[in-house]
């Protein structure tokens, strides 16, 4: 596995692969890799001749009161995992390499970026869209892989790629869960042993909503309120629990058939997100 820190170096290597007619898959990450990331790599390897991963803790997607400084940086461990997983190139840029000294351009996907997580994390998705757009321009992959846990992020990236005619296919990969049901996340490392016992209840609340909807309940606000109460009683501070249309992430109504239930809640100092998809189409 090559490790490259510069855009010039990255482009040089990628160009030789491209000239040889090789297909390139890309897995962007913020590091602190877990089995969910390695699943993305596994899927990427099936789809291309070369796999590139990036590790970059992107400052522009963290709010002022968020955990940018505390975000776990585990570079050596990440390198070992990616090497063992068989990727060809790890792109590891510095913040200056990524943004230069005075970057003025922001990519913002309207509407989608202000719903759900966007409502309580203003600017977060602009930071994500901007860095992913930049990474796509640097790497120029044929295909890129993202986890379904970040469902809203995925919807925003798909929209950006379509609106800006970026020639990259976006593939989503199913959520990887602990045996407790807790969705794998780099932020799970913040949870103390007591919180780790409680955290799977977020997924349990989603499963309960899923079952109620499949059994015919159409009063989605009732389901949402029940889930919020359940989570509060379990010790969470819920941010939102919303039954949405999977297409545009707006609140679902009884006519929608492709649904996603999205949830975010704080447990202690850790913000957890998760979701579950439901198809009512017959
Ligand atoms: O999902 C993540 O890890 C990040 O949001 C991403 C896509 C790598 C952009 O920084």
């Amino acid at each position: 596995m090559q490790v490259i820190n510069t855009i010039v170096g990255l482009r040089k290597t990628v160009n030789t692969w491209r000239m040889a007619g090789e297909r390139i898959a890309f897995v962007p990450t913020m590091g602190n890799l877990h089995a969910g990331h390695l699943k993305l790599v596994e899927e990427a390897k099936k789809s291309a001749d070369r796999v590139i991963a990036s590790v970059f803790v992107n400052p522009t997607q963290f709010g002022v009161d968020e955990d940018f400084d505390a975000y776990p940086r585990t570079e050596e461990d990440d390198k070992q995992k990616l090497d063992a997983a068989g990727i060809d190139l790890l792109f590891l840029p510095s913040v200056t390499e990524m943004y230069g000294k005075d970057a003025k351009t922001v990519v913002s996907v309207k509407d989608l970026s202000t719903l759900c997580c966007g409502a309580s994390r203003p600017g977060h998705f602009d930071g994500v869209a901007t860095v992913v757009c930049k990474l796509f321009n640097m790497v120029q992959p044929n295909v890129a892989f993202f986890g379904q846990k970040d469902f809203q992020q995925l919807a925003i990236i798909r929209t950006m790629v379509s609106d800006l005619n970026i020639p990259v296919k976006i593939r989503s990969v199913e959520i990887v869960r602990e045996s407790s049901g807790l969705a794998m996340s780099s932020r799970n490392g913040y949870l103390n042993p007591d919180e780790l016992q409680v955290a799977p209840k977020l997924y349990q609340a989603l499963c309960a909503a899923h079952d109620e909807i499949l059994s015919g309940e159409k009063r989605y606000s009732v389901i949402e309120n029940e889930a919020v109460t359940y989570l509060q009683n379990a010790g969470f501070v819920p941010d939102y629990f919303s039954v949405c249309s999977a297409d545009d992430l707006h609140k679902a109504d009884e006519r929608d058939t492709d649904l996603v239930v999205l949830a975010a809640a704080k447990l202690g100092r850790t913000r957890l997100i998760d979701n579950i998809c439901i198809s009512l189409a017959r």
Side-chain angles (χ1 to χ4, degrees):
M1 177 184 81
Q2 293 184 57
V3 180
I4 296 184
N5 305 103
T6 65
I7 300 161
V8 169
L10 170 73
R11 288 218 167 115
K12 211 168 144 196
T13 300
V14 172
N15 276 344
T16 57
W17 293 343
R18 199 172 294 291
M19 300 288 276
E22 291 179 318
R23 187 177 154 81
I24 296 162
F26 179 45
V27 180
T29 81
M30 296 208 301
N32 193 231
L33 303 178
H34 51 68
H37 295 111
L38 298 179
K39 180 80 186 157
L40 300 180
V41 169
E42 192 184 313
E43 293 304 316
K45 280 174 71 179
K46 288 184 202 158
S47 78
D49 305 297
R50 299 284 185 173
V51 176
I52 300 176
S54 61
V55 170
F56 178 67
V57 184
N58 174 34
T60 67
Q61 68 188 77
F62 289 80
V64 273
D65 298 327
E66 293 186 354
D67 56 342
F68 175 67
D69 290 330
Y71 197 85
R73 285 146 172 101
T74 51
E75 197 175 300
E76 283 315 310
D77 193 49
D78 292 342
K79 276 186 191 162
Q80 277 174 21
K81 284 180 177 158
L82 290 168
D83 196 19
I87 70 161
D88 298 278
L89 192 161
L90 168 60
F91 181 46
L92 206 58
S94 66
V95 174
T96 313
E97 184 69 8
M98 178 59 72
Y99 285 106
K101 285 202 166 43
D102 192 20
K104 293 187 171 60
T105 305
V106 171
V107 179
S108 186
V109 178
K110 277 197 288 182
D111 302 335
L112 267 180
S113 294
T114 51
L115 302 169
C116 302
C117 284
S120 51
R121 301 188 70 191
H124 166 67
F125 288 116
D126 289 356
V128 171
T130 303
V131 82
V132 171
C133 185
K134 284 168 75 65
L135 283 164
F136 283 176
N137 284 333
M138 293 169 191
V139 176
Q140 300 190 4
N142 300 91
V143 56
F145 289 77
F146 294 86
Q148 256 176 30
K149 184 174 80 70
D150 297 294
F151 195 93
Q152 188 174 5
Q153 167 173 286
L154 191 53
I156 286 166
I157 290 166
R158 284 190 198 283
T159 304
M160 175 189 79
V161 160
S162 163
D163 289 353
L164 299 183
N165 309 96
I166 300 175
V168 178
K169 290 229 170 328
I170 304 300
R171 293 274 148 78
S172 69
V173 176
E174 272 183 23
I175 299 173
V176 178
R177 297 184 181 280
E178 305 284 356
S179 56
S180 64
L182 176 64
M184 289 205 183
S185 162
S186 300
R187 289 192 169 95
N188 290 353
Y190 297 151
L191 298 167
N192 67 34
D194 289 341
E195 290 166 345
L196 268 174
Q197 298 297 311
V198 175
K201 290 184 191 269
L202 185 59
Y203 182 52
Q204 286 162 23
L206 289 166
C207 290
H210 169 274
D211 292 351
E212 277 192 69
I213 292 170
L214 280 189
S215 68
E217 178 61 87
K218 295 277 185 196
R219 293 169 304 158
Y220 297 146
S221 59
V222 172
I223 294 176
E224 291 166 354
N225 292 338
E226 277 172 6
V228 165
T229 305
Y230 170 81
L231 291 172
Q232 280 168 338
N233 290 340
F236 289 88
V237 178
D239 179 358
Y240 63 85
F241 191 100
S242 296
V243 183
C244 298
S245 147
D247 293 332
D248 59 13
L249 303 194
H250 280 90
K251 287 271 191 186
D253 65 32
E254 65 281 359
R255 289 163 301 184
D256 289 305
T257 52
D258 282 323
L259 306 179
V260 58
V261 189
L262 297 167
K266 265 196 151 183
L267 191 55
R269 65 187 181 110
T270 311
R271 189 173 189 278
L272 299 173
I273 61 170
D274 202 349
N275 66 78
I276 197 163
C277 291
I278 305 167
S279 174
L280 298 176
R282 303 238 168 236

